[in-house]
Amino acid sequence: MYKVLKREQIVPNIHLLAIESSSVHQNARAGEFVVVRADERGERIPLNLVDWNKDSVSMVFMEVGTSTSKLASLKPGDEIATLAGPLGKPTEEVQGKKIACIGGCYGIGALLPVIRMFKEKGNHVTTIIEARSEFLLYWQDKLREYSDEFQEITRDGTKGHKGHINDVLVDYIKKNNVDMVYVQGCTYLTYLCSEITRPSGIKTIVGLNPIMVDATGMCGVCRVIVAGETKFGCVDGPEFDGHQVDWDNLIARRKIYINEEISSLSFYECERYG
Amino acid sequence: MAKIVPKKTAMREQPAMERTKNFNEVPYGYSEQEAIQEAKRCLQCKRPTCMQGCPVEIDIPGFIDLIAQRDFRGAIKRLKDKNVLPAVCGRVCPQEDQCEKLCVLAKKYEPVGIGRLERFAADWEATQGEAPVPKKPKPTGKKVAIIGAGPGGLTVAGDLIKLGHAVTIFEALHAPGGVLVYGIPEFRLPKVIVYREVDYLRRCGVNVVFDFVVGKTATIDQILHEYDAVYIGTGAGLPWFMNIPGENLNGVYSANEYLTRSNLMKAYLFPEYDTPIVRGKRVAVIGGGNVAMDCARTALRLGADAVHNVYRRSRKEMPAREEEIHHAEEEGVIFDILTLPVRYMGDEHNWVKEMECIKMQLGEPDASGRRRPVPIEDSNFITPIDTVVCAIGQSPNPLIPQTTPDLKTGKWGNIEINPETGKTSKKGCWAGGDVVRGGATVILAMGDGRVAARSMDDYLKTGVW
Ligand SMILES: Cc1cc2nc3c(=O)[nH]c(=O)nc-3n(C[C@H](O)[C@H](O)[C@H](O)COP(=O)(O)OP(=O)(O)OC[C@H]3O[C@@H](n4cnc5c(N)ncnc54)[C@H](O)[C@@H]3O)c2cc1C
Ligand SMILES: Cc1cc2nc3c(=O)[nH]c(=O)nc-3n(C[C@H](O)[C@H](O)[C@H](O)COP(=O)(O)OP(=O)(O)OC[C@H]3O[C@@H](n4cnc5c(N)ncnc54)[C@H](O)[C@@H]3O)c2cc1C
Ligand code: SF4
Ligand code: SF4
Ligand code: FES
């Protein structure tokens, strides 16, 4: 069992979770993730590492289904059943490049260790975060600390640029000599950014989120097709070249359990709230 | 000499029609009377050939004689001298190819039911409350790390803790047992049995660390900074696919995923447990081994109307145990032998809906000595299905070799060892079980563990590699 040190809602539906751990930090690198299981009956789910030290690790998660609802109800002092990591391949380290880093929903939090690493390696980092509205944007100060440029996008225009990632990214790559684009967030965002940069051929690294179970390469549920080849997201990824990903397959595979997920959540809510 | 009883004492089991509706164990095990009756069939040979068939050298006539004399405690003690997991081996060992195959009775009659008796003694012990822990040996001050809590790793742990070494097991998953827990289904091996044995090892002083993925959480080299010796028993967990069109459609599983969801994650109890599994109505399981039988029988229990076992050779070549094939047949699994899937077709939502197969015939023997299946031209046909489970084999997971450059591996990513000692190419590291052999058996993994433990103890005492 692993002790919860902190669990707080950062913005509606998005939470920070800090768990006691003395082993995960040792080899942790930017871009890696952990697997958590809320309780003995819980599912194993992957969450990106946002921060780590010798006593704890933290993650940012979005409440969507049963597992994340269970995590969202945790209080300091509670315990979770599983914490395993770090897992996956770390973000490839590059130097002296101009990189645009894009984050949405939980990916805003997941960007933090990656831009920190990019910055430390002497890259020029432009961070772009997006949300529906200003009240859903978070961690601007933390992200600014490692960014040379910083932009916000809201769909309703309450903060920063009004509109979509489309307009901003298209414009940005046109005006700047960008070497690389890096994206963290939901499948839609990673897909969209990859399509935006495809015509220009700018290398675009995306953090994917296929369904996982063990996350050690044992089950194969996380397979994604990259450049025509089947890869295991948990050990070969989770970051891949967005121009090589078979998005139709990924999007379809994310929905394998959609009916079960809905019934699981209603079952959980019934049990919890009666 | 006692009169020879030609037939094994029968073991009662759940009727086929009933058992496909639950995940309870199929055979019930012997009663005391039945066990004694079966034990008395043993001729107590002076030179017991049966023992040559047991990779861990159990004193077979010895423990059987104790059962015959109703000394069940003595019998289990005798078994445990050599085997830390008798309740497991009594159930899943391929006895017909090992101990029982070499029983003298087997030449003319049915062999003694060695496995069933082993199971009986172990199950009897479980009804007697917590097994007593032997007196703690004098600590040697040496620290051993075991990677993987499968049957191999558990054997090494049991042997080395008895010798006074400090033992820590690092396990990637959240539960111990390896394949015994994530792979072999409840109806064949109840998980409480494995947990009881692991609990016993913990009470003996073995430290088990879960959620620790060696190669990621720490590398072998990092572990060797803190430990005097390492045993790698990480199994063969990398699932193979056939690389045919449509394998990434929704509804196409690897056997590992299917079984892990159902067993380790208890998806058969969804939604009380959170992990879901597809309850397919028309299921095709590809492959002819124990793993395929387990998948097919699981699919039936999850409510499938029709489960097809698709195998490219003939029934005779099936590597699964006869008992498993027989159980699967009884339960209604349909065997499509001499059949090979060539592609899967999906619907507009990327869900598998059909499978195209080709008929095969047997040609010349191949390297394995079995006749090679060759496709029959223009024999393709299409079957409607909604779930596929691919159980065609697996190889060792590359996480540890990739992060341990001086560890020598073979063609399939298997770790190379000296079979006499279990030593790898890396000083201080031993390995055994499926990570060395590819998919093998529980008892071979345990035998490897025993060999390695002996060599590790030598090294820890002498410091000589
Ligand atoms: C490598 C990797 C890293 C990841 N990192 C993070 C991270 O850092 N933070 C994070 O938040 N997530 C992350 N994810 C995604 C995260 O693992 C999933 O969000 C999580 O598994 C969801 O689990 P759940 O049980 O809460 O939701 P599930 O029940 O699995 O639900 C999943 C999907 O079903 C849908 N759904 C559920 N219930 C309903 C309903 N009633 N009606 C309609 N639709 C519904 C949801 O929209 C959701 O998309 C990562 C994934 C991967 C693979
Ligand atoms: C479905 C199925 C049915 C079977 N049926 C039978 C049967 O009836 N009879 C029989 O004799 N054999 C059977 N086998 C084969 C038998 O289970 C294996 O040969 C045996 O379990 C191998 O034991 P092991 O200790 O080498 O490894 P495993 O049992 O595979 O255990 C390895 C352990 O190491 C852990 N691990 C892996 N990588 C790491 C890492 N990097 N860090 C930490 N831990 C790690 C794994 O999580 C696992 O717990 C079956 C196998 C399967 C899959
Ligand atoms: S451990 Fe296996 S091979 Fe050895 S006696 Fe028992 S059943 Fe037979
Ligand atoms: S060979 Fe058969 S009869 Fe002889 S001791 Fe072994 S089990 Fe008994
Ligand atoms: S999650 Fe099981 S192999 Fe990737």
Side-chain angles (χ1 to χ4, degrees):
Chain A
M1 300 300 268
Y2 304 83
K3 198 150 111 204
V4 175
L5 300 176
K6 194 178 200 177
R7 200 278 313 151
E8 64 183 32
Q9 181 161 296
I10 310 173
V11 294
N13 271 338
I14 294 192
H15 304 252
L16 174 72
L17 179 66
I19 308 284
E20 193 171 72
S21 156
S22 58
S23 57
V24 175
H25 76 280
Q26 169 165 235
N27 292 337
R29 314 243 308 263
E32 292 179 321
F33 64 94
V34 290
V35 157
V36 299
R37 201 166 53 109
D39 57 36
E40 285 306 328
R41 295 179 169 212
E43 199 172 358
R44 297 170 63 93
I45 64 159
L47 298 176
N48 278 74
L49 275 168
V50 163
D51 212 347
W52 53 87
N53 59 46
K54 64 181 192 0
D55 307 308
S56 71
V57 295
S58 46
M59 291 74 68
V60 164
F61 70 90
M62 183 156 89
E63 199 179 334
V64 287
T66 305
S67 311
T68 46
S69 297
K70 283 183 171 178
L71 295 179
S73 70
L74 294 168
K75 299 180 298 300
D78 289 349
E79 289 183 323
I80 61 168
T82 295
L83 171 73
L87 297 164
K89 283 216 165 82
T91 309
E92 198 189 329
E93 294 182 354
V94 292
Q95 277 171 347
K97 304 265 189 234
K98 188 164 173 130
I99 310 173
C101 298
I102 298 150
C105 65
Y106 75 79
I108 296 177
L111 271 189
L112 185 66
V114 179
I115 63 168
R116 189 168 57 201
M117 180 276 286
F118 281 153
K119 191 71 206 147
E120 275 164 10
K121 297 279 158 196
N123 298 286
H124 178 280
V125 176
T126 300
T127 302
I128 305 171
I129 60 173
E130 65 130 34
R132 243 178 28 247
S133 191
E134 182 186 7
F135 74 98
L136 294 171
L137 291 171
Y138 58 97
W139 282 13
Q140 288 92 333
D141 289 347
K142 287 181 200 264
L143 294 167
R144 270 204 182 94
E145 197 181 329
Y146 306 104
S147 308
D148 298 284
E149 294 174 51
F150 188 80
Q151 294 195 33
E152 290 150 293
I153 308 170
T154 52
R155 227 143 300 156
D156 62 4
T158 41
K159 191 74 198 270
H161 180 89
K162 178 174 174 9
H164 276 283
I165 184 70
N166 282 41
D167 336 327
V168 175
L169 189 57
V170 169
D171 191 50
Y172 189 81
I173 57 180
K174 206 181 286 164
K175 292 192 182 136
N176 293 274
N177 214 345
V178 179
D179 296 307
M180 191 178 134
V181 172
Y182 178 91
V183 198
Q184 277 290 357
C186 65
T187 308
Y188 185 63
L189 182 74
T190 48
Y191 163 73
L192 206 65
C193 292
S194 303
E195 291 313 312
I196 294 168
T197 56
R198 194 186 294 277
S200 61
I202 297 169
K203 183 168 164 186
T204 301
I205 299 298
V206 289
L208 300 184
N209 46 21
I211 295 174
M212 294 188 180
V213 178
D214 59 296
T216 66
M218 185 266 271
C219 77
V221 65
C222 58
R223 50 201 197 275
V224 286
I225 305 172
V226 183
E229 251 187 79
T230 299
K231 299 278 182 191
F232 285 6
C234 66
V235 285
D236 300 323
E239 295 180 0
F240 292 103
D241 178 343
H243 298 158
Q244 308 276 351
V245 171
D246 180 334
W247 292 96
D248 290 340
N249 189 263
L250 178 71
I251 291 165
R253 286 190 64 81
R254 292 260 321 144
K255 294 190 187 138
I256 298 178
Y257 294 107
I258 188 88
N259 295 327
E260 286 84 356
E261 281 155 3
I262 294 170
S263 79
S264 167
L265 188 59
S266 50
F267 180 85
Y268 169 68
E269 285 177 343
C270 274
E271 271 204 327
R272 186 149 177 247
Y273 305 109
Chain B
M1 196 175 79
K3 205 173 112 241
I4 287 178
V5 183
K7 283 209 173 290
K8 262 190 201 176
T9 309
M11 180 150 25
R12 290 157 296 123
E13 55 183 36
Q14 270 200 75
M17 292 314 290
E18 231 164 78
R19 68 188 191 230
T20 53
K21 299 190 188 82
N22 64 55
F23 277 79
N24 300 340
E25 193 173 12
V26 170
Y28 289 126
Y30 281 156
S31 66
E32 293 188 4
Q33 279 327 309
E34 290 163 336
I36 292 170
Q37 182 186 326
E38 181 63 16
K40 288 188 169 153
R41 287 184 65 226
C42 171
L43 306 177
Q44 292 294 316
C45 307
K46 286 263 146 37
R47 248 169 282 129
T49 42
C50 53
M51 283 177 67
Q52 293 161 21
C54 175
V56 292
E57 304 147 15
I58 286 179
D59 174 5
I60 295 172
F63 96 84
I64 291 183
D65 189 39
L66 288 162
I67 292 181
Q69 296 174 34
R70 207 177 248 288
D71 180 1
F72 304 141
R73 191 169 303 280
I76 185 66
K77 206 163 156 282
R78 189 66 58 89
L79 278 163
K80 283 202 163 167
D81 281 345
K82 294 288 184 187
N83 185 344
V84 281
L85 302 171
V88 173
C89 293
R91 287 173 166 84
V92 306
C93 256
Q95 291 108 9
E96 63 282 6
D97 284 326
Q98 298 180 342
C99 51
E100 294 184 15
K101 184 179 177 182
L102 299 181
C103 169
V104 286
L105 287 182
K107 290 203 187 95
K108 279 178 102 171
Y109 313 101
E110 285 187 4
V112 173
I114 302 171
R116 292 174 179 189
L117 289 170
E118 186 171 342
R119 166 184 171 163
F120 166 79
D123 289 358
W124 176 86
E125 188 193 34
T127 63
Q128 304 298 303
E130 243 176 31
V133 173
K135 217 175 104 236
K136 286 241 154 69
K138 216 172 113 237
T140 61
K142 298 289 181 190
K143 290 170 74 181
V144 181
I146 293 168
I147 322 301
L154 295 175
T155 303
V156 179
D159 284 5
L160 292 181
I161 198 83
K162 277 189 211 151
L163 297 168
H165 305 301
V167 178
T168 301
I169 304 181
F170 293 100
E171 168 56 48
L173 295 172
H174 57 261
V179 169
L180 306 181
V181 166
Y182 79 70
I184 302 181
E186 182 77 15
F187 55 82
R188 215 147 66 72
L189 179 64
K191 302 308 154 222
V192 291
I193 290 171
V194 183
Y195 295 150
R196 194 168 60 224
E197 301 300 344
V198 175
D199 179 56
Y200 172 80
L201 287 176
R202 288 173 110 169
R203 285 189 287 121
C204 292
V206 173
N207 177 25
V208 191
V209 179
F210 296 108
D211 310 319
F212 198 105
V213 184
V214 175
K216 294 298 302 179
T217 313
T219 61
I220 294 284
D221 284 312
Q222 285 169 328
I223 290 174
L224 274 171
H225 276 303
E226 279 182 52
Y227 291 83
D228 300 295
V230 171
Y231 179 83
I232 305 172
T234 45
L238 183 78
W240 292 352
F241 288 95
M242 290 172 64
N243 292 319
I244 58 175
E247 254 178 337
N248 292 321
L249 290 167
N250 294 4
V252 182
Y253 284 90
S254 76
N256 278 358
E257 189 201 346
Y258 198 65
L259 294 171
T260 301
R261 280 181 183 274
S262 182
N263 300 324
L264 179 69
M265 306 310 298
K266 300 229 184 311
Y268 67 91
L269 298 174
F270 179 87
E272 276 109 88
Y273 281 73
D274 297 345
T275 304
I277 193 165
V278 171
R279 290 175 176 258
K281 286 292 161 203
R282 297 182 58 88
V283 182
V285 177
I286 321 301
N290 285 326
V291 183
M293 296 308 126
D294 284 343
C295 293
R297 297 174 69 197
T298 297
L300 280 176
R301 285 161 174 76
L302 289 172
D305 294 331
V307 177
H308 290 259
N309 180 253
V310 182
Y311 181 55
R312 64 193 176 133
R313 303 182 200 242
S314 76
R315 153 123 196 203
K316 211 173 88 227
E317 282 84 19
M318 276 197 175
R321 292 182 62 191
E322 186 54 41
E323 183 185 328
E324 302 310 324
I325 302 175
H326 172 70
H327 275 143
E329 256 171 354
E330 273 185 348
E331 289 169 11
V333 172
I334 304 155
F335 286 86
D336 298 345
I337 51 160
L338 291 167
T339 305
L340 182 75
V342 290
R343 67 183 171 121
Y344 305 108
M345 286 80 88
D347 65 13
E348 66 278 20
H349 302 296
N350 202 52
W351 270 92
V352 63
K353 64 165 189 190
E354 286 171 333
M355 139 176 104
E356 181 178 328
C357 294
I358 188 164
K359 287 301 240 175
M360 310 291 278
Q361 60 191 5
L362 292 179
E364 295 302 307
D366 64 10
S368 72
R370 295 179 300 177
R371 290 176 65 193
R372 186 195 304 274
V374 276
I376 303 174
E377 233 173 276
D378 294 330
S379 65
N380 297 39
F381 62 100
I382 287 173
T383 320
I385 41 157
D386 57 22
T387 310
V388 175
V389 185
C390 191
I392 58 160
Q394 51 233 21
S395 52
N397 187 311
L399 268 183
I400 289 181
Q402 273 168 5
T403 50
T404 320
D406 43 350
L407 195 64
K408 227 174 121 191
T409 54
K411 194 163 119 203
W412 303 106
N414 51 303
I415 297 179
E416 292 188 348
I417 58 164
N418 173 347
E420 317 259 284
T421 57
K423 283 180 183 169
T424 67
S425 59
K426 187 177 172 67
K427 185 170 180 226
C429 280
W430 284 256
D434 280 6
V435 73
V436 167
R437 298 171 180 268
T441 62
V442 172
I443 195 67
L444 285 171
M446 294 178 66
D448 289 354
R450 164 117 328 132
V451 168
R454 223 172 270 159
S455 162
M456 290 169 85
D457 182 50
D458 273 352
Y459 171 78
L460 292 169
K461 280 188 183 133
T462 63
V464 182
W465 175 246

